[in-house]
Amino acid sequence: MSNEKILVTQPLLPPLEEFIPYLEKIWESKWLTNNGQFHQQLEQALCEYLGVKHISLFSNGTLALITALQALRITGEVITTPFSFVATTHALWWNNIKPVFADIEPHTYNLDPEKVEAAITPNTTAIMPVHVYGNPCKLEAFQQIADTYNLKLIYDAAHAFGVEVNGQSVLNFGDLSVLSFHATKVFNTFEGGAIVCHDEKMKRHIDDLKNFGFRGETTVIAPGINAKMNELQAAFGLLQLTYIDEAREKRKQIAETYREELAGIKGIHCLNDLPDTKHAYSYFPILVEEQEYGMSRDELYAKLKENNIFSRRYFYPLISNFPTYRGLTSANKDNLPVANDIAEKVLCLPIYNKLQQSHIERIITLIKADISY
Ligand code: T4K
């Protein structure tokens, strides 16, 4: 068996020669950024592909998150999950908003609506859940809480490209949803991101904010930022859209193979697909129960690494355990027992469209090795 290095992910890269005509057009037009032709085309193409009304492209997902909070003028406290990539909480911090962590559900690893409701104070202004690994949050429950307490609802949908529940995009829920198109994501524009919103007025406001707050040549409506997607990124996104369905299908097959192969192993648990859901298969997380499996998550991680397989412990450490945040009352481990438990046991196995059957077999063989039953 080859010992080729296998990373947790590999970006979706269409054939290079197919990108050249896009580059030629950019050179011809001499229009490199600031709402160019490819930017406009990609916004429209993504609205159609994702089934959403309005989308504003960004240079990355983190700036899109920061801008989404600005667009809704969020202040005070926002209830969010500790089980995510640090950018989720950093976006609050950069806006001078106090993050309040609530615990997650044991079977989806998403923010638990009941725990959110219990964490609401007079200072709470919004809820920011994450569709972790692309698994949809409890959409109706969150909307009900937001409506009851008059809170804004912003979804970090960085992992949820193309995810649908009952034929409806998850991006159509909440006030705003934020996507990431980073190289490691299902759909990438090298770096990139987007905000999905539901009305023209909000889209215009977001577009102004990402361009220094300019509306027209001489008017600045707010202290905006520079978070625009450039033409190279947008052109790459357009090309990539022609390959996305094939790549998503490949990811689905890989996830199914992993599930079948890992099914009989004591102490290794996979996340199941949720009913009526079209998944993104952005990540393939497993939980390693040390007592049953006979090896800890970190030991398995190290063993795979020794064998040139680079799985990742997304999301360990928990955001609430990083020095910046661990002083917050809500970061206390007693407040977040499920999240702390999952973060100690989770391991994301490689998944990407070019991952081959032989690669999967190598990974499975290593996970199965030394098991005596
Ligand atoms: N919200 C959530 C829930 C997120 O997960 C993220 C980002 C954000 C917000 C913020 O969105 P962005 O501002 O990033 O658009 C990676 C990504 O950098 C980050 O985008 C992502 N989440 C996070 C979960 O993963 P690292 O530190 O793990 O990246 P890195 O460089 O170790 O790459 C991971 C693996 O991917 C490597 O083993 C190799 C492979 N890789 C990576 C890159 C960059 C490639 O094959 N090619 C590449 O170009 O954070």
Side-chain angles (χ1 to χ4, degrees), residues 16 38 100 139 181 215 225 269 322 346:
L16 179 59
F38 290 130
V100 174
L139 302 161
F181 304 147
R215 178 164 297 178
I225 199 164
H269 303 285
F322 283 120
V346 75

Side-chain angles (χ1 to χ4, degrees), residues 3 299 301-310:
N3 196 34
E299 284 165 343
Y301 166 80
K303 177 179 166 182
L304 292 172
K305 202 168 175 178
E306 277 160 26
N307 287 278
N308 240 356
I309 290 162
F310 294 81

Side-chain angles (χ1 to χ4, degrees), residues 198-245:
H198 317 306
D199 68 82
E200 184 70 50
K201 207 172 150 203
M202 178 55 83
K203 151 104 175 122
R204 184 135 187 238
H205 184 48
I206 292 167
D207 286 346
D208 292 343
L209 285 178
K210 76 174 187 190
N211 186 30
F212 313 98
F214 270 110
R215 178 164 297 178
E217 236 177 86
T218 52
T219 309
V220 168
I221 54 114
I225 199 164
N226 181 2
K228 289 165 276 129
M229 177 179 279
N230 67 45
E231 285 293 273
L232 275 179
Q233 292 171 289
F236 187 77
L238 278 170
L239 173 59
Q240 187 157 140
L241 264 188
T242 62
Y243 286 90
I244 195 72
D245 283 335

Side-chain angles (χ1 to χ4, degrees), residues 325-363:
Y325 303 115
R326 68 179 170 222
L328 295 167
T329 314
S330 64
N332 196 302
K333 289 193 177 176
D334 296 339
N335 184 44
L336 307 166
V338 181
N340 275 284
D341 184 51
I342 303 289
E344 292 295 328
K345 295 175 180 167
V346 75
L347 191 65
C348 287
L349 300 181
I351 188 165
Y352 50 89
N353 68 314
K354 289 275 168 69
L355 190 71
Q356 292 158 22
Q357 184 62 28
S358 60
H359 296 150
I360 303 175
E361 279 166 20
R362 236 175 88 198
I363 297 165

Side-chain angles (χ1 to χ4, degrees), residues 7-11 60-62 65 84-85 87-88 130 156 158-159 180 182-185 192 283 312 314-315:
L7 302 174
V8 71
T9 191
Q10 204 180 78
N60 62 62
T62 306
L65 275 174
S84 179
F85 189 60
T88 310
V130 181
D156 180 338
H159 306 167
S180 164
H182 183 260
T184 55
K185 297 296 188 284
Y283 296 85
R312 289 294 288 263
Y314 297 128
F315 292 100

